[in-house]
Amino acid sequence: MYQQLSNLSDKELIARARKLKDREAEGVLLERYSHLLVAICLPALKNNAGANAQTLFPSLLQRLSNGLKTQSIQKASEWVHQTARTYFAHPDKQIPYYPSREAREQLHTENRVEKAASNTIEKQTLITQIQQALAGLSTDDRYLVEQFYLENKTFADLAAQKGYTPDKVRHLLKKAKSRLAMQLTNQSHVK
Amino acid sequence: MSNSISYNERLLKIFAGVRCLNKDQLPRYLEGRLTDIEKHLVEQHLVDCDLCFDALQILHKEGQLEKYVRLSNGIQQYIRDSIKPVSQLQKMERYVRKAKKRESMLIYFWLVAFIAGGGALMYLMQQYNRNKPVMARPAAVPVVPAAAMAASPPPATDSQTLQTRPVTLASSTGAVTTPPATVTPPPPAANDSAKTAALKKAAEDSLARKAAAVAAARAADSLRKKAAAKDSVARHTVKKDTPVMAAATADKTEKPVKQDDNNTAGKEKAESSSNASKPAATKAAPSSSTVVDTDEYLYRAAMVYQQQGNLDEAISRYKRLTANTGRVGEMARYQMAVCYRSKGQTGKAKRMFKEVVRMDGTMKQAAQQALDNL
């Protein structure tokens, strides 16, 4: 059962946990992000003397579990990240997760691409739209996107070419992708 | 063309979803032990995922890989431990719920089966009770009387045969006979009257006539036996008769009674004359046996009604005969009890059977047996 659940996507696990009240699915989902949760909690454990792994992680997991039952989660990684950040910022306050507009637009575009995988006409339409959106980007952004996604260059390569740090390259790419998603969403709305 | 297709396909790659880094990929990426393709996929994901990027950054800066591995193992174990018992409990609950459901379904099944079985049994009982009298009447009703009647002293029996045969016998022998008197239960009275009439007529002829009477009586006895043997056949013929016919026969029997009354009034006149001794002898016998005959015919008519299923009419006829304390009265009571039993009025049937037992007649044993069966 565990093996079968671990092959499911985040969306399916969330659905099972919410609709069927499947605790195993919930466990598999939390376990999938637990190592990342540990990694982002390390500074808090190190800096905060009162923080203890024995109490921090159970309470954080409990909060995630509660959020899973009550909140609408579109992207699990973003939900975990936001929940952890709000936990450290306001330990006594449970702020509900709500995805940003950029994240929603990007998710929408990702879903469109996923759906168009088996539909040639839709795929062609989407490619045309992406080309148009790419043309609408600034030269630097277009260059970074084309080099990274189409030419398979790494952060380090692009950073070396442009003289940026890899973090800045990643940040610029994220911004460019967000703009691209926004343009594509606008195009679909105009239609 | 192929280049353009691959270029277009790669455009879609910009928005292809890539999963977060798993537990193994994270340290390998930090240590630079990923293949180019794998590294590119991870970096594609890192563009979108702040969680993975933050985790990598923290691990890269802090350098607490050992602690990270230990804590991540611990948290995974914690999640498994906290989830597993719950899931086991859930499974147990589900199993128990299923078992309960199955049990309740079984209970419902047996309940429904029991109700259906009970209903079927009730229906069958009703059908049996409804059909029982119809099935039992032709077999049960004639059997007891037939046996009883065969054992009993012969009654007037079938009207025509016993009335006509003695006449023919008398005509053949040329002697004065006492046709029904010899057959009916109170023959002594009839015989006495015949004898006195014979004595009055002539002393000479008395011996010869007595011999003739004895011969006629013997002949009547043989006829009686034959009649008894034919009784069952005669009853079958009676069965077919309608109640109207039975009533007609009853009326016929009543008429002779009246005639007999008239005849008894003129009997004294007839006694004065010696020539009138023959009719007096023939008519004196019916005068004593007419009441019995009437009862007998009433009984027969009631039997016909009973055999035809008209139990109420039969009972009313039998009731008329209850005044009779003799053989016919006993039979009438017995048949009335049978009728009540057929109607389902067991209380009345028991009472009647008890009366029959109390009368201590030939039907006592049959009545006692019927009582035991009730």
Side-chain angles (χ1 to χ4, degrees):
Chain A
M1 189 66 188
Y2 180 82
Q3 282 294 327
Q4 289 172 352
L5 285 172
S6 59
N7 289 330
L8 295 178
S9 68
D10 293 347
K11 210 174 173 179
E12 287 167 322
L13 286 173
I14 291 164
R16 280 183 75 95
R18 285 170 71 92
K19 289 177 184 172
L20 306 176
K21 292 180 181 172
D22 190 350
R23 291 285 307 234
E24 268 185 310
E26 185 185 328
V28 169
L29 184 72
L30 292 177
E31 200 180 319
R32 191 175 281 178
Y33 292 98
S34 63
H35 62 286
L36 299 171
L37 199 66
V38 167
I40 58 169
C41 288
L42 281 174
L45 285 169
K46 190 183 174 184
N47 299 333
N48 197 347
N52 186 2
Q54 304 295 327
T55 54
L56 174 76
F57 290 118
S59 62
L60 194 55
L61 286 170
Q62 187 59 47
R63 187 170 281 200
L64 284 168
S65 177
N66 293 339
L68 186 65
K69 286 165 192 163
T70 54
Q71 296 167 10
S72 66
I73 301 155
Q74 290 171 344
K75 204 165 184 181
S77 60
E78 199 178 338
W79 163 65
V80 171
H81 192 234
Q82 195 172 328
T83 308
R85 277 196 308 179
T86 53
Y87 179 79
F88 293 125
H90 311 281
D92 303 326
K93 211 173 175 183
Q94 197 156 2
I95 298 165
Y97 155 73
Y98 189 76
S100 61
R101 191 188 165 192
E102 290 80 14
R104 275 183 283 138
E105 280 168 351
Q106 200 169 321
L107 196 67
H108 175 68
T109 316
E110 278 177 13
N111 288 338
R112 276 184 69 193
V113 170
E114 198 179 333
K115 277 182 189 172
S118 56
N119 190 340
T120 317
I121 297 167
E122 183 65 24
K123 199 189 276 183
Q124 203 60 45
T125 312
L126 205 59
I127 287 166
T128 314
Q129 285 179 356
I130 291 170
Q131 281 174 342
Q132 286 172 0
L134 262 177
L137 287 176
S138 66
T139 318
D140 280 354
D141 286 349
R142 192 167 64 241
Y143 175 78
L144 279 174
V145 168
E146 282 178 354
Q147 288 296 309
F148 183 73
Y149 287 107
L150 307 178
E151 301 299 330
N152 291 344
K153 294 276 177 69
T154 61
F155 288 157
D157 294 342
L158 289 171
Q161 278 180 14
K162 285 280 179 182
Y164 303 142
T165 59
D167 295 351
K168 191 174 182 184
V169 171
R170 185 249 170 194
H171 183 73
L172 287 171
L173 275 169
K174 191 182 177 182
K175 286 282 179 193
K177 197 177 173 181
S178 178
R179 279 189 212 112
L180 207 58
M182 195 170 68
Q183 281 190 24
L184 285 168
T185 314
N186 289 341
Q187 278 179 15
S188 64
H189 285 324
V190 167
K191 255 188 176 181
Chain B
M1 184 70 185
S2 63
N3 280 335
S4 67
I5 290 170
S6 61
Y7 175 81
N8 288 339
E9 291 287 332
R10 272 183 277 168
L11 273 177
L12 290 175
K13 210 175 72 177
I14 298 170
F15 291 100
V18 182
R19 276 194 178 187
C20 286
L21 279 79
N22 60 34
K23 200 180 162 188
D24 299 327
Q25 279 176 329
L26 203 63
R28 278 168 64 212
Y29 179 79
L30 287 170
E31 291 163 7
R33 289 192 289 118
L34 290 174
T35 60
D36 289 344
I37 298 167
E38 213 175 358
K39 191 180 179 183
H40 187 71
L41 279 171
V42 168
E43 286 184 347
Q44 267 189 46
H45 175 70
L46 286 174
V47 172
D48 303 325
C49 186
D50 290 335
L51 179 69
C52 292
F53 182 73
D54 280 0
L56 276 173
Q57 285 290 97
I58 288 163
L59 283 175
H60 183 68
K61 284 175 187 169
E62 299 286 335
Q64 297 176 321
L65 261 175
E66 284 179 11
K67 194 180 180 183
Y68 156 77
V69 172
R70 186 166 47 81
L71 282 174
S72 60
N73 285 336
I75 196 171
Q76 278 190 351
Q77 195 58 44
Y78 173 78
I79 290 167
R80 285 181 187 180
D81 290 346
S82 59
I83 294 299
K84 265 188 182 175
V86 176
S87 69
Q88 284 293 329
L89 274 174
Q90 274 183 345
K91 278 176 190 171
M92 281 297 290
E93 273 177 15
R94 274 180 205 165
Y95 178 77
V96 168
R97 214 176 298 146
K98 268 186 187 175
K100 275 183 183 175
K101 205 174 182 181
R102 206 177 300 150
E103 257 180 41
S104 62
M105 288 298 284
L106 262 174
I107 288 167
Y108 286 136
F109 169 75
W110 283 117
L111 202 69
V112 168
F114 181 74
I115 289 166
L121 202 67
M122 290 281 285
Y123 177 75
L124 283 173
M125 285 292 286
Q126 276 182 354
Q127 288 295 318
Y128 176 72
N129 284 336
R130 202 175 295 164
N131 294 333
K132 187 182 173 185
V134 178
M135 295 296 286
R137 211 175 290 140
V141 173
V143 166
V144 177
M149 295 302 281
S152 67
T157 64
D158 303 326
S159 58
Q160 286 183 351
T161 52
L162 287 179
Q163 276 178 356
T164 53
R165 277 173 191 169
V167 172
T168 53
L169 276 170
S171 62
S172 65
T173 52
V176 176
T177 57
T178 56
T182 50
V183 176
T184 49
N191 284 334
D192 290 342
S193 63
K195 280 173 185 174
T196 48
L199 284 169
K200 280 180 183 176
K201 191 184 177 188
E204 298 169 356
D205 297 331
S206 64
L207 284 169
R209 281 173 187 168
K210 276 181 183 175
V214 168
R218 281 177 186 169
D221 282 338
S222 65
L223 272 173
R224 191 197 314 150
K225 283 175 185 172
K226 283 179 184 176
K230 287 178 183 177
D231 196 22
S232 60
V233 180
R235 281 206 185 92
H236 286 296
T237 56
V238 169
K239 267 186 199 174
K240 290 172 185 175
D241 292 338
T242 58
V244 179
M245 289 291 288
T249 53
D251 292 340
K252 279 178 187 173
T253 55
E254 283 170 6
K255 280 175 185 175
V257 172
K258 288 174 185 175
Q259 286 173 359
D260 289 340
D261 291 336
N262 295 331
N263 287 335
T264 47
K267 189 180 169 184
E268 291 173 0
K269 293 176 185 176
E271 278 179 355
S272 61
S273 63
S274 60
N275 290 331
S277 60
K278 277 183 187 175
T282 52
K283 286 167 187 175
S287 66
S288 59
S289 64
T290 43
V291 179
V292 179
D293 287 345
T294 311
D295 289 350
E296 199 63 45
Y297 287 130
L298 261 173
Y299 177 76
R300 290 276 167 202
M303 281 284 285
V304 169
Y305 280 120
Q306 186 181 348
Q307 282 163 1
Q308 284 175 349
N310 195 351
L311 295 176
D312 293 329
E313 191 63 33
I315 286 167
S316 71
R317 297 282 170 127
Y318 285 133
K319 270 182 185 171
R320 286 187 212 168
L321 294 168
T322 49
N324 189 330
T325 53
R327 167 78 191 153
V328 176
E330 186 190 5
M331 288 298 295
R333 280 186 179 81
Y334 182 83
Q335 289 303 331
M336 211 182 343
V338 169
C339 288
Y340 281 134
R341 187 178 61 187
S342 300
K343 284 179 76 179
Q345 297 173 336
T346 49
K348 284 184 177 177
K350 273 182 185 174
R351 209 182 308 141
M352 295 314 294
F353 278 131
K354 277 175 187 171
E355 275 186 33
V356 174
V357 169
R358 240 177 273 129
M359 286 173 85
D360 202 17
T362 53
M363 293 305 292
K364 182 186 177 181
Q365 200 179 348
Q368 189 60 52
Q369 200 176 347
L371 260 177
D372 294 341
N373 288 336
L374 270 174

